[in-house]
Amino acid sequence: MHDFRALRANPEAFDADLARRHLPPVTEELLQQDTMRREILNELHQKQARRNNLSKEIGQLKSKKQDSSALEAEAIALRQELDSLQSKADQIDAVILETLSGLPNRLDPEVPEGEDESQNIVIHQWREPPQFDFTPLQHFDLGEKLGMMDFSLASKLSGTRFVVLRGALARLERALGQFMLDLHTQEHGYVEHNVPLMVNAKTMYNTDKLPKFGDQSFCTKDERWLIPTAEVPLTGMQADELIGYEELPIRRVALSACFRSEAGAAGRDTRGMIRQHQFYKVELVSITTPDDSAKEHERMTRCAETVLEKLEIPYRRILLCAGDTGFGAAKTWDLEAWLPGQQAWREISSCSNTHAFQARRMNARYRPKDENGKKVSPEFVHTLNGSGVAVGRALVAVMENYQNKDGSISIPKVLRPYLSGLEKIG
């Protein structure tokens, strides 16, 4: 959500931000609606004052046993006018809210210009891709040859974009999630949470998933939404909370199933585990002050990078350009892992700073520290979220980078304690 006062103060800057995302200007129409609303509210206040005076006058006449019928008739007509004016004001409010709710976050000044992912900027790369003396296979070929990855059975059960893992591959995926949780809680200071997999519409709206991404999520018949990411409950629990300065930063982590309809993904990654309706992800969420959010964004991204470094998976960090930055994000770092089977870099983590965009929607505030002991007005917190990392895609990366010529898969050393010392799947 946006600060309407900031829009009024500098509409040109607001429209310029939209232009960076290749969206049309909206402030002229919004300000016209706002002017109409203010005029109606002004008239409403004047008529309310007249109604209050009428009540007093009617009371005085009745106390004197004088005729008050004319004033009572005026009061009845005035009540109808007030109802009509309030209805008009509410309608304009709804239009303004609907427009603002559909507008993306304002971009951080550090976000570069660009129309799409082809203009994202590579910041750095960790390790060179491994060299094989054979043609590396993609993960689905490896998994199916091992008899441990079954897409046909999943399709029988649920349709396309699902998978059944069995045996050692199922254990490997579980080990990845456990390893990430241990790393983030024991070394990075995040507090583990086990969150609901279904939330109400308000929680989805608060975390900018509605109305924009309604067609990309699943909703039950009783209007609960399956979470597209644990970011939704981890961040949403901050709604309507006033946090003390000394409580910040708040850092939360959860391993959860995630559900996405993948609307608009027809024909993309139709084979394998890259793009599924159900997958597991370790999610990192931070709540902090505006002054510290840039530093926290870097810290969070380093936490995700550490996962890949400990797994010894080559990766690179990408700064998303304006045209590729997500709806709720002010700035986003993507981490892309190297997949030898595809001979391509693929996203495995996305870490975003939303500034106060989500906090304003959910009314999440903190009380700033005051050195002089004076009472300070609450301000909106900044919220951040990031994959730490996507478990299914980490499984894909491990399978493809650790594959052997005979079709077996070596286990990264850091994961072996989670697999009873197992060194190889084959």
Side-chain angles (χ1 to χ4, degrees), residues 132 134 137-149 165-166 168-170 172-173 176 313 394-413 415-416 419 421-426:
F132 296 88
F134 59 93
L137 299 178
Q138 294 198 54
H139 67 282
F140 44 80
D141 289 325
L142 287 164
E144 288 174 337
K145 287 185 176 182
L146 287 168
M148 300 179 187
M149 185 176 283
L165 298 177
R166 61 170 65 93
L169 273 189
L172 179 57
E173 184 181 50
L176 280 162
I313 301 293
L395 176 65
V396 169
V398 166
M399 291 176 67
E400 294 198 13
N401 281 276
Y402 282 84
Q403 64 181 293
N404 301 304
K405 191 172 185 177
D406 63 0
S408 64
I409 300 166
S410 297
I411 305 297
K413 292 180 181 178
L415 295 180
R416 292 175 188 175
L419 293 161
L422 184 68
E423 297 184 3
K424 185 181 291 187
I425 297 175

Side-chain angles (χ1 to χ4, degrees), residues 7 10-31 103 106:
L7 186 151
N10 195 344
E12 294 81 8
F14 194 94
D15 281 339
D17 257 5
L18 291 178
R20 294 185 68 200
R21 290 182 181 267
H22 308 283
L23 295 173
V26 297
T27 56
E28 182 177 356
E29 180 180 349
L30 279 171
L31 291 175
L103 295 178
R106 299 187 68 175

Side-chain angles (χ1 to χ4, degrees), residues 208-223:
D208 63 61
K209 304 302 178 282
L210 290 179
K212 175 69 174 177
F213 300 108
D215 65 341
Q216 297 182 31
S217 301
F218 292 105
C219 188
T220 65
K221 290 182 178 180
D222 64 351
E223 298 186 354

Side-chain angles (χ1 to χ4, degrees), residues 136-191:
L137 299 178
Q138 294 198 54
H139 67 282
F140 44 80
D141 289 325
L142 287 164
E144 288 174 337
K145 287 185 176 182
L146 287 168
M148 300 179 187
M149 185 176 283
D150 199 327
F151 295 98
S152 296
L153 179 57
S155 181
K156 173 185 173 181
L157 297 170
S158 306
T160 58
R161 297 191 188 274
F162 291 91
V163 66
V164 171
L165 298 177
R166 61 170 65 93
L169 273 189
R171 286 186 68 197
L172 179 57
E173 184 181 50
R174 175 161 52 91
L176 280 162
Q178 187 63 54
F179 154 68
M180 294 177 204
L181 281 178
D182 287 349
L183 176 65
H184 293 314
T185 56
Q186 296 172 18
E187 297 187 24
H188 297 155
Y190 287 86
V191 177

